[in-house]
Amino acid sequence: MELVINGLSKTYANGVKALDNVSLTIPTGMFGLLGPNGAGKSTLMRILATLQEADSGSAMLGDLDVLRQKQEVRRVLGYLPQEFGVYPRVSAYEMLDHIALLKGVIHDGDRKALVEALLHKVNLWEHRKRRIAGFSGGMKQRFGIAQSLIGEPKLIIVDEPTAGLDPGERNRFYNLLTEIGENVVVILSTHIVQDVQELCRNMAIINKGRLLFAGSPNDALAAVKGRIWEKSIPKQELEAHNASFKVISNKLIAGRPVIHVYDEGRPDGFAPAEPTLEDVFFSHIHGAHQPVMA
Ligand code: ADP
């Protein structure tokens, strides 16, 4: 099973081109869709989740036409949106039971077994009688995973799942995601490089609606290897360096900026840096690096 996206475009009524001819093949397992805010990630996720129309292009999940066979797609889809909007004032148990019923688990015994198993899986069993509205961010996200797993989905879409989670909650969420089967296409949309680094075997980078890279994190790193250089500089030299080099990131280390630049050869005064996925991301986003399709 693969999700094959071909030439997908979407322009909003205000003229913003949120997706510009995006083509991507997404295999089973965890796939990271990385891009800064406004890149077009949510637009792509909502189109794949059958919640929004594309202007042109196609998306096929196996032999299902995602843009046309919406009802069939919804039966095999698990969607965890960025925010639920309103969190219901009913208990986690009642809500899962309700969603399972809507998804067609009509037999009472089957539904009870499913809901109980899911609550254990996402570690919310102890909290099953509490209202979801009172949950912490991490608990809400884990509840989101539980509801997205109802109906044994073939495609799971998780939009910006770790934004706003503290490190402990983020780790629990990562562990939960990695337990989802290898036979499912899981798309994780995020602007957090660490999410992709820790979880994903394959990834894509998009910006301004365009695909800039597709491949494995290792391919992405290999493509910039030997081209990332670093230097610790006084704060007042930051502007001059920005003007003279392709500065892709700057971080304060012990109060002093350490800049990373992208260059084919080693610039004077710089030391070679072992590229990180963050370097890859920023070199693509800042246009320092020519698009590479693996
Ligand atoms: P991301 O999820 O990567 O932050 P989005 O898909 O939400 O990106 O947005 C992509 C672009 O489309 C942004 O410039 C955003 O402002 C614009 N956009 C998103 N939704 C709408 C909408 N409903 N109407 C008009 N513009 C929108």
Side-chain angles (χ1 to χ4, degrees), residues 12-14 16 18 35-44 46 82 159-160:
Y12 286 108
N14 60 1
V16 172
N37 285 328
K41 304 181 298 295
S42 291
T43 302
L44 180 56
R46 286 196 303 263
Q82 218 166 77
D159 199 355
E160 296 275 353

Side-chain angles (χ1 to χ4, degrees), residues 151-291:
E152 297 185 9
K154 303 259 185 299
L155 171 63
I156 297 181
I157 293 176
V158 194
D159 199 355
E160 296 275 353
T162 64
L165 298 191
D166 68 37
E169 283 177 335
R170 186 184 293 180
N171 265 337
R172 278 194 289 278
F173 189 73
Y174 282 169
N175 288 337
L176 190 55
L177 275 185
T178 51
E179 283 174 23
I180 296 175
E182 286 287 298
N183 300 325
V184 180
V185 176
V186 185
I187 310 177
L188 181 74
S189 137
T190 181
H191 65 275
I192 299 170
V193 175
Q194 192 198 351
D195 289 351
V196 173
Q197 195 152 329
E198 299 211 2
L199 295 171
C200 300
R201 239 184 311 132
N202 290 289
M203 63 178 281
I205 298 175
I206 66 167
N207 193 26
K208 297 182 181 149
R210 294 220 173 125
L211 183 70
L212 302 181
F213 171 85
S216 70
N218 280 342
D219 291 340
L221 288 170
V224 297
K225 199 167 168 58
R227 294 178 182 153
I228 307 292
W229 312 93
E230 71 178 6
K231 187 183 178 186
S232 168
I233 56 168
K235 238 181 203 155
Q236 57 272 27
E237 288 182 18
L238 201 51
E239 220 165 286
H241 278 82
N242 274 328
S244 328
F245 298 99
K246 287 175 181 164
V247 177
I248 52 172
S249 69
N250 91 70
K251 260 188 200 150
L252 282 180
I253 296 182
R256 214 174 136 93
V258 172
I259 56 170
H260 276 198
V261 306
Y262 179 92
D263 211 311
E264 302 291 323
R266 177 179 180 159
D268 262 358
F270 281 79
E274 188 57 37
T276 62
L277 214 46
E278 205 157 359
D279 291 322
V280 171
F281 179 58
F282 287 117
S283 57
H284 280 289
I285 298 306
H286 294 320
H289 190 49
Q290 290 306 307

